[in-house]
Amino acid sequence: MTHAIELKNLHKYFGKNEVLKGIDMTVEPGQVVCVIGPSGSGKSTLLRCVNLLEQPTKGKVFVEGIEVTDPDVDIDAVRRRIGMVFQQFNLFPHMTALQNVMIAQQRVLRRGKREAEVTARENLDKVGVGAKCDSLPGQLSGGQQQRVAIARALAMEPDLMLFDEPTSALDPELVGDVLTVMRKLAEEGMTMLVVTHEMGFAREVADRVVFMDGGVVVEDGPPSQVIGDPRHERTQAFLHRVL
Ligand code: ADP
Ligand code: MG
């Protein structure tokens, strides 16, 4: 079976700073893999190497069997299959929720206005903000904005989704709505690689949890093991701080 994502001996330097020190990791189709670890451990960099928002220094990245680190690959074609949701929602502030979800469909997928609008409304409904189509991002709560950002990614009909701390910028009372949407996506079989500090979510939803520290994978296994019964002292110390 082809892996959804495969990282082979992935290294990333920023100048002389080695941020990823030989990462090996796979995500299978339909799996949810949560990446946890302290700030600065390289989680965002790892995620950004999957769709080449960062260029790996060494090693290979495969998405659905295609080597994206091959200089001859059509990276835009691969990126179209990957949805990404960031901590900061990155919506266009002067566009309504509906327009935010339509624009990439029209520009990147060349969908017509009518089709883009139908798909946008479907996905805004799906994440529970269908009533907010005509609102500007500034008129929405953080949780609503993040759900618009998820709808925008889903409207592109990606094969897999990358989430980088999607709830970290939210007020605590708004976190649940976003996690509920993510849980629903997982239940529908979406392949998801999720950097998160939400241990409850990781425990309940993840097929595997990967603990990173200092640019290496320290521990990789089912949540019951990595969170429930961590083997490594560094994992134990981290969990002790966050739980
Ligand atoms: P995490 O997401 O786990 O907090 P990051 O991947 O954001 O970690 O960062 C890992 C390390 O890489 C940090 O030391 C950070 O300062 C450094 N880093 C991240 N992005 C850049 C960049 N664009 N230029 C230089 N250093 C960076
Ligand atoms: Mg980060």
Side-chain angles (χ1 to χ4, degrees):
M1 188 173 64
T2 309
H3 304 297
I5 301 171
E6 183 176 20
L7 310 178
K8 279 188 175 170
N9 193 28
L10 182 67
H11 291 257
K12 175 65 182 177
Y13 284 79
F14 289 110
K16 288 185 176 165
N17 185 17
E18 190 178 20
V19 169
L20 299 177
K21 302 175 180 171
I23 304 278
D24 292 291
M25 184 191 296
T26 53
V27 180
E28 307 305 338
Q31 267 192 342
V32 178
V33 175
C34 285
V35 180
I36 62 172
S39 176
S41 56
K43 305 181 300 295
S44 294
T45 304
L46 179 146
L47 214 62
R48 294 164 62 83
C49 281
V50 173
N51 56 5
L52 295 200
L53 288 179
E54 296 292 353
Q55 185 69 45
T57 311
K58 200 176 112 185
K60 291 184 177 180
V61 177
F62 297 85
V63 173
E64 298 184 314
I66 297 168
E67 190 196 332
V68 300
T69 36
D70 177 344
D72 294 330
V73 82
D74 179 356
I75 185 62
D76 291 331
V78 178
R79 281 196 186 122
R80 251 170 255 154
R81 305 189 202 166
I82 306 175
M84 185 148 183
V85 175
F86 302 88
Q87 181 175 337
Q88 302 300 336
F89 329 119
N90 300 337
L91 299 174
F92 291 114
H94 60 289
M95 290 185 183
T96 64
L98 186 70
Q99 289 166 335
N100 265 287
V101 181
M102 289 173 65
I103 185 81
Q105 297 185 62
Q106 294 174 280
R107 297 236 175 119
V108 178
L109 300 184
R110 302 266 163 227
R111 284 185 182 151
K113 189 161 181 259
R114 185 175 300 243
E115 187 190 356
E117 181 171 339
V118 169
T119 307
R121 286 187 190 279
E122 278 171 9
N123 282 289
L124 287 162
D125 279 340
K126 177 173 178 159
V127 300
V129 290
K132 299 290 179 185
C133 283
D134 298 322
S135 299
L136 294 169
Q139 299 169 319
L140 301 175
S141 73
Q144 290 167 334
Q145 289 184 62
Q146 189 59 298
R147 284 181 285 152
V148 173
I150 294 172
R152 174 179 58 182
L154 292 176
M156 304 298 280
E157 290 163 15
D159 294 345
L160 52 124
M161 294 275 287
L162 309 177
F163 291 87
D164 193 357
E165 299 197 28
T167 61
S168 292
L170 303 178
D171 292 332
E173 72 272 21
L174 304 176
V175 167
D177 291 338
V178 171
L179 293 181
T180 298
V181 168
M182 292 171 65
R183 192 175 278 121
K184 189 163 112 185
L185 275 181
E187 282 164 7
E188 289 173 3
M190 178 61 79
T191 307
M192 297 163 57
L193 183 56
V194 183
V195 176
T196 187
H197 293 293
E198 295 292 333
M199 294 302 143
F201 177 84
R203 214 185 247 274
E204 286 166 36
V205 181
D207 295 289
R208 281 193 2 259
V209 173
V210 174
F211 173 67
M212 279 182 73
D213 193 11
V216 300
V217 171
V218 176
E219 201 154 344
D220 179 341
S224 56
Q225 187 240 299
V226 176
I227 299 177
D229 186 20
R231 289 176 190 165
H232 291 259
E233 187 272 327
R234 280 197 278 177
T235 319
Q236 292 165 6
F238 172 76
L239 290 169
H240 192 71
R241 287 201 299 278
V242 299
L243 285 179

